[in-house]
Amino acid sequence: MHILAVDDDPIILELLEHFIGSIPEYQITTAECVTDALELMVDKTMRFDCFLLDIQMPGTNGIEFTRILRDLACYRSTPILMLTAMSDKDYIDDSFAAGATDYITKPFELNGLKARLGLVERIAAEQRKQANTLHAASTFQDMSPGAIAGNLTVELAHPFPIFDVEGVIENHALENYVTELSRKSLCGSVVLGFTIRHIADLYACLTPYDFTCIVTDVSEAIADCLLPTRRLVSYSGNGTFVCVVEGAAHIDLDRLVNHINLYIAAMELSTSDGTALNIRICAGRTSRLIWRKGDSAIDALRQAHVSAEEAADQLERNLGCIWTVAQSA
């Protein structure tokens, strides 16, 4: 795995070069600022599999550089680890919103960094494995539906990355986000999930391309309707989205769901051949992140996912009962 480390502290770069360079399967290149990093990236033969970025640097900072990297097709899914002394929640929020994969605060333990890089290596390997399939989804706006349909494979239960939607991040990044918050005792946010109703029926009748587009459009509707609060949204598979929302302990879920459904209706979603789609979502229970630590914070995301799907199932059963009673009457 080829890593590019960008930090204006030469001592940190020397430490990283010595430590990472001693691991046989890793190769490291360093830069003292974003300008130097971009000059290295001009060489098309030098492709990086991971980035380690400081935040506070002269000129362009690490968060701005993260946004630059996410705008490049070749680095849309490449793992980005923030390696910084900045521990305030605003920096954590802004980093993940810009597209960071993980967040490590200085001073850091070398063994801890090695473990995090091991996780990142598996993510990078998975991204390379999916290059011939999900890469089509990341660039579908520039391709014809027919060209994408022949190359794109999407499993209903599996999450996939959603690009170019503000506030929407990858599934593993959201897990790292809540884990980082739990380490800093900053957990005061709310977790909740939303599920697209009749998702199995939609998946069965839509092409992979259309399914990907619908999921992307719904993620945009959810992220937009959660404004102006700080929010991060992730697609976790099976038509379900998990969201972490700051300072929203008393969300009126019924009102929010109605708002999102009206927003989706205004989008006038349809398939590639123009067939109109009636897409609606429902929400699960909200859960406070406060007092949750480590794995418990990750469990809150899983519980939000399960709660949203249970709410969708219960809604369909309730509607079925109403329909049965109406027929009997």
Side-chain angles (χ1 to χ4, degrees):
M1 183 169 68
H2 192 178
I3 300 168
L4 175 60
V6 187
D7 198 307
D8 63 334
D9 187 340
I11 296 177
I12 292 293
L13 292 182
E14 183 179 353
L15 175 65
L16 292 173
E17 283 184 310
H18 177 75
F19 175 67
I20 295 176
S22 68
I23 304 174
E25 60 267 29
Y26 293 164
Q27 175 187 357
I28 184 168
T29 300
T30 62
E32 293 188 0
C33 65
V34 171
T35 300
D36 291 348
L38 290 171
E39 288 180 359
L40 289 170
M41 292 165 60
V42 169
D43 183 357
K44 301 300 182 183
T45 64
M46 187 174 291
R47 175 65 189 271
F48 300 104
D49 304 302
C50 176
F51 293 90
L52 294 177
L53 306 182
D54 187 22
I55 290 182
Q56 288 195 320
M57 295 183 287
T60 305
N61 65 39
I63 295 175
E64 293 168 345
F65 187 38
T66 299
R67 294 192 183 97
I68 292 172
L69 290 171
R70 292 308 187 213
D71 283 337
L72 300 174
C74 58
Y75 290 120
R76 277 187 166 180
S77 295
T78 302
I80 300 174
L81 282 70
M82 312 310 289
L83 195 60
T84 175
M86 312 311 298
S87 59
D88 291 348
K89 185 174 182 296
D90 285 348
Y91 286 104
I92 299 172
D93 287 349
D94 291 345
S95 294
F96 280 98
T101 307
D102 206 348
Y103 197 101
I104 303 170
T105 53
K106 303 172 184 175
F108 54 89
E109 295 183 356
L110 292 177
N111 285 337
L113 176 60
K114 183 177 181 180
R116 306 281 271 276
L117 288 175
L119 292 173
V120 158
E121 186 175 15
R122 288 195 287 274
I123 293 171
E126 181 182 345
Q127 297 296 348
R128 288 192 296 270
K129 184 178 179 181
Q130 295 176 342
N132 293 328
T133 56
L134 292 180
H135 180 68
S138 71
T139 56
F140 65 77
Q141 66 269 28
D142 299 321
M143 299 172 63
S144 68
I148 297 170
N151 297 306
L152 179 60
T153 301
V154 178
E155 298 293 335
L156 174 59
H158 293 174
F160 56 80
I162 293 173
F163 303 100
D164 301 323
V165 179
E166 183 181 352
V168 179
I169 66 176
E170 293 186 56
N171 190 250
H172 54 260
L174 189 66
E175 292 183 352
N176 290 337
Y177 171 70
V178 298
T179 301
E180 184 61 27
L181 291 191
S182 72
R183 292 191 188 103
K184 304 302 177 185
S185 299
L186 297 172
C187 302
S189 299
V190 167
V191 180
L192 70 159
F194 300 93
T195 292
I196 301 173
R197 293 168 55 185
H198 307 294
I199 187 62
D201 294 337
L202 281 168
Y203 177 79
C205 70
L206 294 176
T207 66
Y209 167 74
D210 284 339
F211 181 78
T212 303
C213 290
I214 292 302
V215 169
T216 300
D217 288 337
V218 172
S219 75
E220 180 180 0
I222 292 171
D224 286 354
C225 290
L226 287 171
L227 290 172
T229 57
R230 278 182 176 265
R231 80 284 187 248
L232 290 174
V233 179
S234 174
Y235 177 63
S236 54
N238 210 37
T240 300
F241 306 83
V242 178
C243 315
V244 178
V245 186
E246 181 182 287
H250 304 292
I251 294 176
D252 185 336
L253 271 182
D254 290 339
R255 183 176 181 179
L256 177 58
V257 167
N258 287 336
H259 181 36
I260 295 172
N261 281 328
L262 287 172
Y263 192 105
I264 294 172
M267 289 175 144
E268 298 183 344
L269 302 181
S270 63
T271 63
S272 300
D273 62 8
T275 302
L277 294 172
N278 181 24
I279 306 296
R280 295 174 65 82
I281 60 95
C282 65
R285 298 181 303 275
T286 60
S287 173
R288 294 289 299 276
L289 270 179
I290 194 167
W291 310 127
R292 290 180 178 266
K293 301 292 182 182
D295 290 342
S296 179
I298 299 295
D299 285 341
L301 300 181
R302 299 191 183 103
Q303 290 164 13
H305 182 121
V306 171
S307 176
E309 294 188 354
E310 288 176 344
D313 291 340
Q314 186 62 51
L315 179 60
E316 299 312 316
R317 285 195 294 269
N318 291 345
L319 292 175
C321 290
I322 292 171
W323 175 250
T324 301
V325 171
Q327 283 187 317
S328 299

